[in-house]
Amino acid sequence: MMILRAARAAELPAILAFWQVAAENDSRPADTSAAIEALHRRDPGALIVAVDSDEIIGTVIAGWDGWRCHLYRLAVAPSRRREGIGGRLIAAAEDRFRSFGGTRSDAMVLDANQRAHGIWAAHGYSPQPEWSRWVKALPAPETPR
Ligand SMILES: CC(C)(COP(=O)(O)OP(=O)(O)OC[C@H]1O[C@@H](n2cnc3c(N)ncnc32)[C@H](O)[C@@H]1OP(=O)(O)O)[C@@H](O)C(=O)NCCC(=O)NCCS
């Protein structure tokens, strides 16, 4: 039976491996152990996993920064797609946002990722043509002397 719950610290390496096979990995910073551990330390409830018989079969990051609601890393195991798992992950993330008083949820979706457009549209999301994302890669912090 599948359950959705917050990821546990011991699962973080398995989630990194899962994203290698299940997630969209183009045009984005590489996932690292340090990055996923930092997320989990800062907000342990943000990383939601779908688990079936102890196997991770889906993920989403429901990031609430105190101001806005951002979704990342929606992914379902290739062998378990079109069973409604992605939709349940989106619903769980939205429940989390509502519990904080969030009023609008957004997702970063590659224009070329047609497979993803279907699920976002099916759950009420649409592109916002009047906005573009402006990005800058941050240099690593200077090491203290
Ligand atoms: C996108 C993804 C998460 C969808 O997960 P899923 O568990 O298969 O989605 P669901 O079964 O909940 O689908 C819900 C609805 O979304 C739509 N949908 C899902 N996949 C679709 C597809 N390939 N094409 C068109 N519509 C699709 C359908 O309306 C579907 O309902 P239906 O099966 O009754 O027709 C999954 O394909 C995936 O992991 N893709 C690779 C990673 C990725 O691209 N993530 C999104 C990053 S923005």
Side-chain angles (χ1 to χ4, degrees):
M1 193 187 65
M2 184 189 79
I3 58 162
L4 301 188
R5 59 164 171 74
R8 298 172 182 149
E11 292 171 325
L12 302 182
I15 293 168
L16 280 181
F18 174 80
W19 285 343
Q20 286 302 306
V21 296
E24 168 57 65
N25 295 316
D26 286 349
S27 303
R28 53 188 311 287
D31 298 318
T32 62
S33 301
I36 195 171
E37 285 164 11
L39 168 70
H40 200 257
R41 261 195 314 276
R42 183 182 184 281
D43 187 357
L47 177 49
I48 299 170
V49 286
V51 180
D52 193 348
S53 307
D54 288 337
E55 186 190 352
I56 291 162
I57 55 169
T59 64
V60 69
I61 296 173
W64 163 252
D65 57 17
W67 181 242
R68 300 283 189 239
C69 311
H70 305 293
L71 293 165
Y72 308 96
R73 289 327 237 163
L74 176 67
V76 171
S79 62
R80 299 295 302 268
R81 290 182 184 161
R82 303 308 287 264
E83 294 179 29
I85 298 169
R88 286 187 56 187
L89 285 161
I90 292 172
E94 292 174 353
D95 285 347
R96 178 168 207 261
F97 293 147
R98 274 195 297 273
S99 77
F100 294 127
T103 57
R104 189 189 64 180
S105 173
D106 65 50
M108 294 301 306
V109 185
L110 278 172
D111 290 343
N113 189 357
Q114 296 287 335
R115 187 171 48 189
H117 296 178
I119 191 169
W120 291 117
H123 289 272
Y125 291 74
S126 56
Q128 200 178 19
E130 68 274 30
W131 289 87
S132 301
R133 188 163 74 141
W134 291 35
V135 297
K136 173 187 173 184
L138 297 179
E142 287 175 26
T143 43
R145 281 177 242 206

